[in-house]
Amino acid sequence: MPLFDIETHWIMPDLTSALRAMRHPDESLLFNETGDHQHRLEDLGDGRTAAMDAQGIAVSILALTPPGTQPLPPTEALPLSRAANDMAAAAVARHPDRFRSLATLPMSSPKDAAGELERAAGTGHVGAMVYGRSGDLFLDDPAYDDFFCVASQLGQPVFIHPQMPSAAIRDASYRGFGSMTDLALATYGWGWHLDAATAALRLILRGTFDRHPELQIVLGHWGEMLLFWLDRADSLSRTAGLQRSVTDCIRSNFHFTASGTLNPALLRHALSVTSVDRLIFSTDYPFQRPTGGDIDSFLAHFTSDAERRQFTSANAASLYGIDL
């Protein structure tokens, strides 16, 4: 059966330069330069398809690596988002049987986000990847409601990717252990995932899915911890005056991907709180690189060929409109 990977990252050198030139650059840019990551991130050709072949992956969905254009001021974010989307679309055009792409959006300029999503969808992008906050503006701010309306109308799923917590939160909770431990705690060790889960929960509490019931959201890392806390999160539904419970939104409007964390225990828990049609395979390439053997061993934990097929390809094909 084919294997679709819905989260593989890439970078654009012009964007890296702009992010590095900021007064306070995002420290997670360091991860792009670790080992051979930069070479792999910049490769949208034969090297990437060779890596896919080695893992047994038929189709990869490309997404710009964090933090995207989101930390940039609107005057830079919009042209660089357009350039990134054009570059990704060109890569897909060169490899139409191997690649699809998620749009990069100028979320620091809410008035431009919907328009760029619409333009990118017109050039073949199958969804978008965003982050939970732009400066002090949270993703659930009413300024973004037009964006979510357009995403829903176009059937463009929105992947909420982890990002660096704000400086204030880092100072309060993620410092005091040495620079590299501080960075790890604020990113892959904890902070990234809590930040993304909070962004998703805030969208629910804002009534986003009451207003846009067809909107579809994707979370990585088996739900960024949110799936483990649904019993308690549901208690928020009545307080917030929602038409639907947190759990109902999670089961109807969210999809969850592995992000290379191929842990059978996480799979079992995800299946205990949502259904298999909401779970999708991904590797988080090149930051996670499970071998073909690792992937096969993990897929053996599915109890039927039908469930395995849903996870490996059918769910992604349905959500992102992949027809090969």
Side-chain angles (χ1 to χ4, degrees):
M1 63 187 71
L3 186 60
F4 294 170
D5 184 351
I6 71 163
E7 184 190 0
T8 65
H9 292 290
W10 69 284
I11 59 174
M12 184 174 69
D14 287 351
L15 175 57
T16 299
S17 297
L19 292 167
R20 282 288 181 203
M22 295 185 69
R23 182 177 179 183
H24 299 291
D26 189 311
E27 291 179 55
S28 68
L29 291 170
L30 174 66
F31 301 139
N32 297 347
E33 301 163 2
T34 301
D36 65 352
H37 288 172
Q38 184 164 348
H39 171 73
R40 289 177 179 269
L41 287 165
E42 291 180 352
D43 185 350
L44 293 177
D46 293 343
R48 186 174 292 257
T49 57
M52 292 166 58
D53 292 341
Q55 293 174 301
I57 293 169
V59 177
S60 286
I61 299 184
L62 307 171
L64 205 65
T65 198
T69 61
Q70 237 162 289
L72 296 171
T75 53
E76 293 182 77
L78 180 57
L80 283 169
S81 293
R82 287 174 173 166
N85 291 333
D86 291 345
M87 185 176 290
V92 173
R94 291 192 299 270
H95 301 274
D97 57 335
R98 305 304 303 273
F99 295 158
R100 295 294 185 272
S101 58
L102 300 183
T104 299
L105 300 177
M107 302 301 283
S108 61
S109 180
K111 66 182 180 63
D112 293 314
E116 181 56 19
L117 177 66
E118 192 164 14
R119 189 191 78 88
T123 64
H125 292 264
V126 296
M129 179 171 283
V130 302
Y131 303 85
R133 173 182 37 79
S134 293
D136 295 326
L137 197 63
F138 286 101
L139 193 57
D140 62 282
D141 191 281
Y144 290 118
D145 204 56
D146 285 347
F147 160 66
F148 286 115
C149 179
V150 169
S152 178
Q153 291 173 348
L154 294 176
Q156 291 271 297
V158 178
F159 195 130
I160 302 176
H161 194 280
Q163 70 178 147
M164 183 76 76
S166 70
I169 291 176
R170 287 197 70 191
D171 288 344
S173 302
Y174 297 112
R175 297 198 189 277
F177 301 96
S179 60
M180 289 308 297
T181 302
D182 289 354
L183 179 60
L185 181 62
T187 56
Y188 58 82
W190 191 254
W192 265 349
H193 313 294
L194 189 61
D195 193 88
T198 302
L201 188 56
R202 286 181 64 98
L203 279 179
I204 296 173
L205 296 180
R206 190 69 71 179
T208 305
F209 304 99
D210 292 343
R211 294 189 303 279
H212 310 295
E214 302 304 315
L215 177 65
Q216 298 298 307
I217 301 292
V218 181
L219 288 177
H221 307 98
W222 299 105
E224 309 292 5
M225 302 188 284
L226 190 55
L227 291 183
F228 293 87
W229 209 242
L230 282 183
D231 288 348
R232 297 286 284 180
D234 256 344
S235 65
L236 295 166
S237 306
R238 185 179 298 108
T239 304
L242 300 180
Q243 297 172 22
R244 300 156 57 200
S245 69
V246 171
T247 292
D248 184 44
C249 292
I250 287 293
R251 291 175 175 168
S252 303
N253 298 93
F254 282 77
H255 303 258
F256 307 97
T257 188
S259 301
T261 309
L262 303 184
N263 184 333
L266 299 180
L267 169 64
R268 288 192 296 270
H269 182 76
L271 287 171
S272 75
V273 293
T274 191
S275 51
V276 69
D277 62 307
R278 293 278 153 178
L279 305 181
I280 305 177
F281 175 82
S282 73
T283 65
D284 199 12
Y285 177 90
F287 305 106
Q288 302 291 333
R289 288 179 234 165
T291 67
D294 294 334
I295 294 168
D296 289 342
S297 295
F298 177 75
L299 294 178
H301 290 275
F302 283 87
T303 58
S304 71
D305 287 342
E307 285 193 345
R308 193 177 299 112
R309 186 174 299 107
Q310 283 184 278
F311 179 72
T312 57
S313 59
N315 294 342
S318 175
L319 181 64
Y320 287 110
I322 302 173
D323 184 16
L324 295 175

